[in-house]
Amino acid sequence: MKQNYPKIGIRPIIDGRRGGIRESLEETTMNLAKSAAKLYSETLKYPDGTPIECVIADTTIGGVKEAALCAEKFEKEGVGLTLSVTPCWCYGSETIDMDPLMPKAIWGFNGTERPGAVYLSAALAVHNQKGLPSFGIYGKNVQDVGDGVIPGDVREKLLRFARAGLAVAIMRGKSYLAIGSVSMGIGGSMVNPDFLQEYLGMRAEFVDTSEILRRIQLEIYDKGEFERAMAWTKENCMSREGEDFNPEHLKHSREQKDKDWEFVVKMTLIMRDLMIGNPALDTMGYGEEALGHNAIAGGFQGQRQWTDFLPDGDFSEAVLNSSFDWNGIRKPFTFATEDDHLNGISMLFNQLLTNTPQIFADVRTYWSPEAIERVSGWKPEGLLKDGAIHLINSGSCTLDGTGQQSDENGDPVMKPFWEINEDEVKKMIDATTWYPASLEYMRGGGYSSQFMTRAGMPVTMCRLNLIKGLGPVLQIAEGWTAAFPEEVFDIINKRTDKTWPSTFFVPRLTGKGRFTDVYSVMNYWGANHGAISYGHIGADLITLASALSIPVNMHNVDDGKIFRPDAWSAFGSDNEGADYRACSTYGPLYR
């Protein structure tokens, strides 16, 4: 089912005085708009892999009537964010984008022939006066009028704004689907409809876990797909079933284990259908079920009530979050274990910015170099010399997190699904062992994936937290994946649940604040879960957070990369304090 994604609207702004001035600038101004549109369409892609679409106003905008006509066109064309561009002075309040829900930026061309910078400053001042925050883009170096080259610093900001603005626009009107209720008292699984509605423009949809059981018992799933899914699972997962480490008196029989495999495959089909629907169900007479819940993200409670009774969701969560299944290579879903919607939305932020699958993990253990040497006899070196944070959880970790995809240099990566090949899928499958669930944790059985993430991937861990009296805050840590020698990993792995996937994370240290050492990052992390994305995307996350009026309470991004709306500079010269004050002043985007 093809999705209609929001487009980027390009607004060419011009000096409205006719009789020589406007006429001399028409071609230059429109070419500036076309160059921005070309950059976007050739560089950025939607989550389905198709190129970003841009809509340019029919005419240059020299006054309020043309601004209104542009707004009408954008509404008809499905524009979700706007970029205004100009090489010259124009009329500030008469030409700006006044839509309060539309992320917006202005690129004022740095040239001496015409004062684009003057318009930029004037227009941003109007935005700030009216409470309509806008991102300002201005190149460091003077260009000649008509220069069609977009400088590197301008390009970086244009793309950063677009990635954040598209994420805002794509989330609007979608749902987070909570399957079940609160898991083991975890705060993040207390799904907050007000946060989703007011800050993200999303609905909270709730489905009891009994719906999964109903659909299994009444066979409300595509039986043909189930047969195909079971054949794939037997070849790729059941054939890689690991040793059963449960005590003899708790072990399931082979017959029960095989039934568990069938059950978790059905769960996977049903969870997906609950999120996005399935036309096949309509042909079976289940028209309501065929529609789904329009969910862009979701989560499954699992523990305790479900997993004390029935197979856990580990297989379903891992497969849904991966870039492939029995239907081949495809867009990964965003699906949280333990229905931790705050980590699910953190994963969603990451995925919308990168189009890559996300690792869901417990931020479980800080391993100091002294502790590593004490338990293993091995002295950490290289990336591990200051220790590492062990990220591990039985559930939602994408199989892409094995790190078995590679770039042109052979280095481990996590790619958008359209760049993955079948050989890489096989490597991810081969790197994963499926262990019978620990029945002391999850009495109903099931299967957990186990692997160790390859070392050397640049990654970013983030997490949303809700603070009473403050609202949502976002924390960010850029770093790298690390790996221990096999014999050392074996010792460390046996000290926790050895049937779960492991990612060892080493944050980049700055020597100040929360990033003085690895221990501090772990110590100041705001919850028990983290969302881990491929790439150093902290700057993009900061821009996205500011577009949503969510302050960032912890990050290790260089100050020079921080890009927020121009109004933030009016709230003080300290970046963190100004961010808090601005977000408090403007409040939720959809309030």
Side-chain angles (χ1 to χ4, degrees):
M1 294 179 289
K2 179 173 174 54
Q3 182 172 338
N4 292 319
Y5 289 105
K7 301 178 179 70
I8 301 177
I10 313 292
R11 308 174 72 252
I13 312 297
I14 200 167
D15 189 326
R17 288 172 286 195
R18 298 179 187 270
I21 294 178
R22 177 166 182 159
E23 291 82 355
S24 69
L25 292 166
E26 287 281 3
E27 184 177 0
T28 299
T29 304
M30 192 57 79
N31 284 342
L32 202 61
K34 290 176 180 177
S35 67
K38 184 173 185 288
L39 170 67
Y40 286 148
S41 62
E42 291 182 351
T43 308
L44 300 178
K45 295 186 185 299
Y46 291 119
D48 65 359
T50 57
I52 294 294
E53 294 184 44
C54 295
V55 178
I56 300 176
D58 290 333
T59 68
T60 54
I61 300 169
V64 66
K65 177 62 176 180
E66 288 159 329
L69 292 172
C70 173
E72 289 177 14
K73 177 177 182 177
F74 284 2
E75 185 175 5
K76 292 176 184 176
E77 295 281 348
V79 165
L81 61 154
T82 65
L83 171 71
S84 299
V85 301
T86 187
C88 60
W89 164 254
C90 317
Y91 310 151
S93 64
E94 297 181 27
T95 57
I96 64 171
D97 170 15
M98 294 279 286
D99 188 328
L101 301 184
M102 199 84 74
K104 49 185 68 67
I106 303 172
W107 173 22
F109 184 82
N110 185 0
T112 54
E113 290 88 349
R114 298 285 183 176
V118 178
Y119 170 76
L120 175 64
S121 297
L124 289 173
V126 172
H127 276 283
N128 297 345
Q129 257 180 264
K130 292 180 176 294
L132 300 170
S134 178
F135 293 86
I137 302 170
Y138 181 61
K140 291 180 180 178
N141 296 313
V142 173
Q143 294 179 262
D144 296 331
V145 66
D147 187 347
V149 175
I150 300 177
D153 61 326
V154 172
R155 174 189 170 94
E156 182 179 350
K157 289 182 177 179
L158 287 171
L159 293 175
R160 184 154 291 143
F161 162 72
R163 284 190 289 262
L166 282 166
V168 172
I170 290 171
M171 285 187 287
R172 186 184 304 139
K174 301 300 191 304
S175 304
Y176 177 90
L177 175 64
I179 303 175
S181 183
V182 181
S183 175
M184 301 182 293
I186 294 172
S189 67
M190 300 173 186
V191 176
N192 189 311
D194 291 341
F195 160 67
L196 293 170
Q197 173 193 328
E198 294 174 6
Y199 281 89
L200 310 180
M202 290 174 58
R203 297 173 187 263
E205 288 285 290
F206 298 91
V207 173
D208 191 85
T209 51
S210 63
E211 175 63 8
I212 295 175
L213 200 55
R214 181 183 80 94
R215 294 196 185 198
I216 289 177
Q217 291 180 359
L218 299 182
E219 298 186 329
I220 307 175
Y221 53 85
D222 186 333
K223 297 180 185 64
E225 184 180 4
F226 169 68
E227 295 301 324
R228 188 167 70 252
M230 275 309 303
W232 182 89
T233 302
K234 286 176 182 177
E235 179 182 351
N236 296 293
C237 305
M238 296 174 69
S239 63
R240 292 170 175 79
E241 184 179 313
E243 180 182 348
D244 190 342
F245 294 116
N246 287 293
E248 286 298 327
H249 70 284
L250 291 179
K251 286 183 180 179
H252 286 180
S253 66
R254 183 69 257 168
E255 180 183 10
Q256 182 59 50
K257 288 178 180 177
D258 290 344
K259 288 181 179 177
D260 289 348
W261 274 114
E262 293 187 0
F263 194 94
V264 298
V265 170
K266 291 175 183 176
M267 282 177 64
T268 310
L269 294 173
I270 291 166
M271 288 175 175
R272 180 205 62 197
D273 292 351
L274 282 166
M275 288 185 70
I276 65 170
N278 187 345
L281 302 184
D282 193 25
T283 65
M284 298 164 56
Y286 294 101
E288 183 181 0
E289 290 86 347
L291 296 174
H293 288 266
N294 194 38
I296 194 173
F300 175 60
Q301 174 196 341
Q303 299 183 75
R304 289 248 335 258
Q305 291 77 18
W306 179 275
T307 55
D308 284 357
F309 174 49
L310 294 164
D312 62 34
D314 291 4
F315 174 83
S316 301
E317 293 159 4
V319 170
L320 286 171
N321 279 305
S322 298
S323 297
F324 60 91
D325 60 15
W326 41 84
N327 291 317
I329 298 169
R330 50 119 176 101
K331 177 185 173 294
F333 292 84
T334 300
F335 202 79
T337 195
E338 294 159 354
D339 198 17
D340 183 350
H341 80 304
L342 294 179
N343 215 58
I345 296 299
S346 303
M347 294 165 68
L348 179 62
F349 285 0
N350 291 345
Q351 189 182 81
L352 290 174
L353 291 171
T354 66
N355 289 325
T356 59
Q358 300 300 307
I359 293 173
F360 181 114
D362 280 358
V363 185
R364 182 167 282 246
T365 309
Y366 165 62
W367 278 97
S368 68
E370 295 80 11
I372 295 167
E373 187 172 9
R374 179 179 63 80
V375 303
S376 70
W378 177 72
K379 184 177 177 63
E381 56 189 24
L383 190 60
L384 287 165
K385 64 180 176 60
D386 296 316
I389 297 172
H390 192 182
L391 306 174
I392 179 172
N393 185 287
S394 67
S396 274
C397 188
T398 172
L399 300 191
D400 299 67
T402 56
Q404 295 299 316
Q405 301 164 33
S406 301
D407 63 15
E408 61 275 9
N409 299 316
D411 296 324
V413 296
M414 292 168 63
K415 304 175 184 177
F417 76 91
W418 57 85
E419 296 180 6
I420 299 170
N421 61 55
E422 292 293 345
D423 287 342
E424 290 171 324
V425 171
K426 186 176 187 308
K427 288 178 181 177
M428 289 185 274
I429 290 171
D430 289 344
T432 306
T433 303
W434 295 94
Y435 284 96
S438 173
L439 299 177
E440 293 171 330
Y441 281 114
M442 291 167 276
R443 301 168 190 169
Y447 294 92
S448 299
S449 61
Q450 195 275 336
F451 56 78
M452 181 169 66
T453 301
R454 282 177 69 193
M457 287 198 293
V459 293
T460 302
M461 182 166 72
C462 79
R463 167 74 190 192
L464 274 167
N465 294 295
L466 290 177
I467 310 299
K468 181 73 172 179
L470 174 62
V473 295
L474 181 68
Q475 51 189 165
I476 301 165
E478 294 184 339
W480 297 268
T481 60
F484 290 92
E486 189 172 339
E487 63 278 7
V488 177
F489 172 68
D490 188 55
I491 293 169
I492 289 174
N493 199 40
K494 285 178 179 176
R495 294 177 68 97
T496 181
D497 195 302
K498 54 185 174 290
T499 68
W500 296 350
S502 287
T503 302
F504 291 95
F505 174 62
V506 178
R508 184 178 64 248
L509 303 179
T510 64
K512 59 183 180 181
R514 307 308 196 214
F515 292 89
T516 54
D517 51 31
V518 178
Y519 167 79
S520 295
V521 177
M522 172 79 180
N523 190 46
Y524 288 109
W525 203 250
N528 54 309
H529 293 148
I532 299 90
S533 179
Y534 177 78
H536 287 161
I537 62 166
D540 284 349
L541 281 166
I542 289 173
T543 298
L544 172 58
S546 67
L548 296 167
S549 286
I550 297 175
V552 176
N553 69 305
M554 169 178 163
H555 72 83
N556 58 348
V557 177
D558 292 340
D559 282 352
K561 292 185 176 181
I562 294 176
F563 184 42
R564 290 178 169 128
D566 177 77
W568 265 238
S569 64
F571 289 88
S573 58
D574 59 313
N575 280 333
E576 185 171 294
D579 185 32
Y580 271 82
R581 290 184 285 272
C583 290
S584 175
T585 297
Y586 290 113
L589 185 58
Y590 306 99
R591 61 190 185 278

